Amino acid sequence: MADLKEITVPDIGDFDAVEVIEVLIAPGDSVNAEDSLITVESDKASMEIPSPESGVIREVKVKVGDKISQGSVIVLMEPAGNAAAPQPEQKTATAKTPEPAPQKTKPEAAPSATVEPKKPEAAPSAPAASEDKQVRVPDIGDFDSIPVIEVLVSPGDKVSPEDPLITLESDKATMEIPSPGAGTIKELLVKVGDKVSKETPILVMTTAGAPAPIQSSQAAPETRPQPESKPAPSATQTDDGQRPAPLPPVNETGFGKAHASPAVRKFARELGADIGRIQGTGPKGRIQKEDVQAYIKRILTSGAGASAGAAGGLQVAELPEVDFAAFGDIETQPLSKINKLTGKYTHRSWVQIPHVTQFDEADITELEAFRKQLSAEYKDKGVKITLIAFLLKAVVAAMREYPRFNSSLDSSGENLILKKYFHIGVAVDTPDGLVVPVIRDVDQKGIVELAGEIVDIAKRAREKKIKPSEMQGGCFTISSLGGVGGTAFTPIINQREVAILGVSRSSMKPVYEDGQFIPRLMLPLSLSYDHRVIDGVMGARFTNYLSQVLSDVKRLLL
Ligand code: CAO
């Protein structure tokens, strides 16, 4: 067997002890020069480390979570053609600059190391006062005179902190320069093909809060570049030889803003996939190669294609630009990341799922008395017992009775996946918007334990400490506006679930019983369900059952 070569971390700037966030190869894989081996992430950048040459991976020396520095061994490789003509010893990935060899058949491979700076030192955060600010190339290592290969923004575009502005590509790395703060692009100072170095001005940005340039760009919409929508190339032939569904068109604005590494962007570009439509499953919601593949597969198998691009077949007239400043003073505020994500997901759910909302009421007079008693008992222990803990248990009881409520439609829309576990999402209102952490195994927990968990997740959600994994795996969602008010609402289903329970504020109502009106504490319930999975009768039976369980505390504790 040929000698194995150690492939080590090259000199990629002032990064030390950076964390491995992705291992892109496995023993036995054949790689070409410049194929990406691993992705690492520091607080400044995420970057992919490429292979300096072709060969077969024999052993992977790192795993996700490891901290590595220049010189750390990544893999042991059997170099290609080594047996016939051994190559001279090559110590690190940069010992020889490999010829770019992008592989059409292996598009996941990055052409070179990729750097995606996140908090560049030379590009400090936006100042508090509104002003025009020049954004410059930050210090991203020993790169000089690098060509701009992509300009991802246009004058008039609003950007958030860390939105990518331009992409640079040297023979060692492809990197995206992120926005140092929120604002509106006023002027571009570079174009594709320009060569830039550290401190080269990229563009002029008006920091968030300054209405003037936003107004002026709205006042002259004809000069404002519109987001381009390119028709995507046809996707590959399906297995059964049928003509594949065309992919939805790429919206360049969404594509530019999506959270993905340059290699994944390149991969998506080659396939014509609009990563702006893809939900990332990687760290911090980063879109992974697998997410792109899953997206393409879903489109191909569902035949949704172009119609998905038009909101699931819904063809609507384009919304005209409106110059709001023409009618009075305005202020433009960028939406938070959570607002934007919530908007995207609720919109998709609203147009793709046929929602029906069933309204009902539960008599919680006894339950409330019991809750108050329990709450008083646990007050000293610091546990606040609110209604939602009881709702979690009641919902699980109703899901057991009507198992379709604990299911998901598979991607083909032909099968129902019934779950045997009971993980319930709870909508939490935070200063940045709505988040839905999931409480696991509700069926196996008691009221007090659940009450403690709700307090904990609500607190951590408001402190932005909920991990992405804690928001996954939900079977059903509860959205309680009981602490705020209202009598009913129509909650939007958390997609991949089939129902959501909205709860409004309880109030004393006269209930006619045995020939007289008696005061009872009534809780309004609003259950939205997916009519493809649940029909009206089952929806009504579910709330009926829920209402019975909530009305009878003993039944709830069974
Ligand atoms: N009827 C009457 N009072 C209610 C009630 C109801 N249905 N539900 C809660 N309350 C009371 C609580 O008992 C508490 O009273 P005290 O302050 O006197 O103890 C008060 O309202 C506040 O409760 P809370 O909201 O802090 O606690 P909770 O456990 O009921 O809810 C949580 C926790 C995280 C669900 C809630 O704080 C929250 O964020 N709700 C918003 C969810 C949301 O945004 N949904 C909309 C989604 S669609 O945009």
Side-chain angles (χ1 to χ4, degrees):
M1 188 163 118
D3 284 347
L4 296 185
K5 180 176 283 184
E6 285 185 347
I7 305 297
T8 59
V9 177
D11 174 10
I12 37 164
D14 59 343
F15 299 100
D16 197 36
V18 284
E19 189 175 334
V20 176
I21 59 163
E22 260 176 313
V23 176
L24 304 162
I25 36 73
D29 283 359
S30 293
V31 293
N32 291 297
E34 299 196 7
D35 281 0
S36 296
L37 301 174
I38 55 172
T39 310
V40 293
E41 188 168 72
S42 73
D43 59 343
K44 276 202 241 158
S46 62
M47 64 198 93
E48 291 176 13
I49 310 288
S51 175
E53 62 183 278
S54 307
V56 178
I57 305 296
R58 290 296 172 213
E59 196 179 334
V60 180
K61 293 286 201 185
V62 293
K63 58 182 184 323
V64 170
D66 283 358
K67 295 264 165 73
I68 58 170
S69 304
Q70 183 185 344
S72 302
V73 179
I74 306 169
V75 293
L76 295 184
M77 178 193 279
E78 187 181 326
N82 207 6
Q87 302 280 312
E89 187 58 26
Q90 195 174 313
K91 282 273 179 250
T92 72
T94 51
K96 174 186 162 217
T97 306
E99 288 298 304
Q103 290 290 300
K104 283 276 178 283
T105 52
K106 256 193 104 190
E108 69 276 24
S112 54
T114 58
V115 179
E116 187 186 333
K118 299 174 75 188
K119 290 179 191 159
E121 286 157 6
S125 301
S130 304
E131 61 174 272
D132 287 349
K133 176 176 173 301
Q134 222 175 46
V135 177
R136 293 162 182 271
V137 176
D139 181 3
I140 38 164
D142 58 344
F143 300 100
D144 204 17
S145 207
I146 323 164
V148 176
I149 60 160
E150 243 182 323
V151 177
L152 303 162
V153 289
S154 311
D157 282 359
K158 291 189 193 89
V159 292
S160 303
E162 299 193 17
D163 281 351
L165 302 172
I166 58 170
T167 311
L168 312 178
E169 191 167 62
S170 74
D171 55 354
K172 274 203 234 161
T174 303
M175 62 201 97
E176 287 171 0
I177 306 297
S179 172
T184 304
I185 306 301
K186 190 176 182 197
E187 190 190 348
L188 289 173
L189 303 175
V190 291
K191 59 184 184 318
V192 171
D194 284 355
K195 298 224 166 129
V196 298
S197 305
K198 179 184 164 189
E199 289 298 324
T200 304
I202 304 169
L203 49 82
V204 178
M205 185 166 95
T206 306
T207 52
I214 295 162
Q215 287 175 16
S216 64
S217 76
Q218 282 179 339
E222 67 283 3
T223 61
R224 185 176 178 178
Q226 295 295 318
E228 215 185 315
S229 270
K230 286 186 192 162
S234 269
T236 47
Q237 196 87 345
T238 49
D239 289 346
D240 58 7
Q242 284 179 353
R243 208 164 155 256
L247 293 171
V250 173
N251 178 303
E252 291 299 325
T253 310
F255 194 104
K257 289 184 174 168
H259 185 29
S261 70
V264 170
R265 288 176 183 285
K266 184 167 183 285
F267 178 53
R269 281 263 182 235
E270 283 171 353
L271 295 179
D274 185 355
I275 50 172
R277 298 172 191 274
I278 300 176
Q279 187 180 355
T281 58
K284 298 175 194 159
R286 177 189 292 279
I287 299 160
Q288 319 258 53
K289 190 188 85 185
E290 292 74 23
D291 299 327
V292 178
Q293 287 167 327
Y295 168 77
I296 300 270
K297 194 171 168 196
R298 191 156 40 81
I299 300 270
L300 289 178
T301 51
S302 70
S307 61
L314 192 67
Q315 300 286 345
V316 289
E318 209 170 301
L319 197 62
E321 282 275 342
V322 175
D323 176 14
F324 297 104
F327 306 105
D329 280 352
I330 60 164
E331 181 195 326
T332 304
Q333 274 184 1
L335 289 174
S336 73
K337 213 165 194 169
I338 294 181
N339 285 156
K340 284 192 265 184
L341 282 175
T342 306
K344 194 159 122 184
Y345 298 147
T346 49
H347 183 202
R348 187 179 58 194
S349 172
W350 189 249
V351 297
Q352 287 189 344
I353 298 181
H355 281 69
V356 178
T357 307
Q358 169 74 33
F359 302 102
D360 210 335
E361 279 185 326
D363 182 340
I364 57 162
T365 316
E366 270 86 41
L367 175 61
E368 182 61 6
F370 179 58
R371 184 190 74 78
K372 280 191 175 150
Q373 185 192 328
L374 207 60
S375 214
E377 280 172 32
Y378 280 88
K379 198 174 174 196
D380 294 346
K381 298 192 176 102
V383 184
K384 185 176 177 188
I385 299 178
T386 56
L387 188 64
I388 204 154
F390 294 91
L391 287 168
L392 284 164
K393 291 303 275 186
V395 158
V396 166
M399 285 166 86
R400 281 194 195 283
E401 193 71 16
Y402 299 98
R404 274 196 168 222
F405 280 82
N406 194 7
S407 74
S408 293
L409 267 179
D410 75 0
S411 303
S412 70
E414 307 251 320
N415 305 296
L416 213 50
I417 297 160
L418 290 152
K419 295 157 208 169
K420 309 289 176 196
Y421 50 85
F422 296 88
H423 304 334
I424 311 291
V426 175
V428 177
D429 179 43
T430 78
D432 290 320
L434 182 69
V435 287
V436 187
V438 174
I439 299 192
R440 300 201 178 255
D441 300 314
V442 171
D443 56 319
Q444 295 164 34
K445 293 175 181 166
I447 296 288
V448 179
E449 186 179 357
L450 290 171
E453 269 197 53
I454 291 153
V455 172
D456 172 61
I457 56 154
K459 181 168 175 284
R460 287 194 295 117
R462 286 165 188 151
E463 291 168 353
K464 299 188 192 171
K465 288 185 182 155
I466 295 280
K467 296 184 220 128
S469 61
E470 290 181 277
M471 291 192 273
Q472 290 163 4
C475 308
F476 184 102
T477 299
I478 298 178
S479 175
S480 171
L481 292 175
V484 185
T487 52
F489 64 109
T490 50
I492 297 180
I493 298 165
N494 207 349
Q495 233 169 353
R496 304 327 290 249
E497 296 172 13
V498 294
I500 177 168
L501 179 70
V503 181
S504 300
R505 194 168 190 79
S506 59
S507 62
M508 292 304 283
K509 286 192 175 177
V511 175
Y512 194 69
E513 235 177 65
D514 300 330
Q516 58 175 336
F517 283 104
I518 48 169
R520 305 293 293 175
L521 185 64
M522 304 304 286
L523 178 73
L525 305 172
S526 308
L527 175 83
S528 293
Y529 56 85
D530 182 340
H531 208 304
R532 294 170 303 176
V533 180
I534 293 153
D535 60 25
V537 170
M538 196 186 285
R541 285 196 175 129
F542 186 88
T543 56
N544 213 354
Y545 188 85
L546 197 59
S547 160
Q548 280 174 30
V549 173
L550 288 166
S551 306
D552 186 349
V553 189
K554 293 187 288 303
R555 212 190 262 242
L556 182 60
L557 298 177
L558 286 179

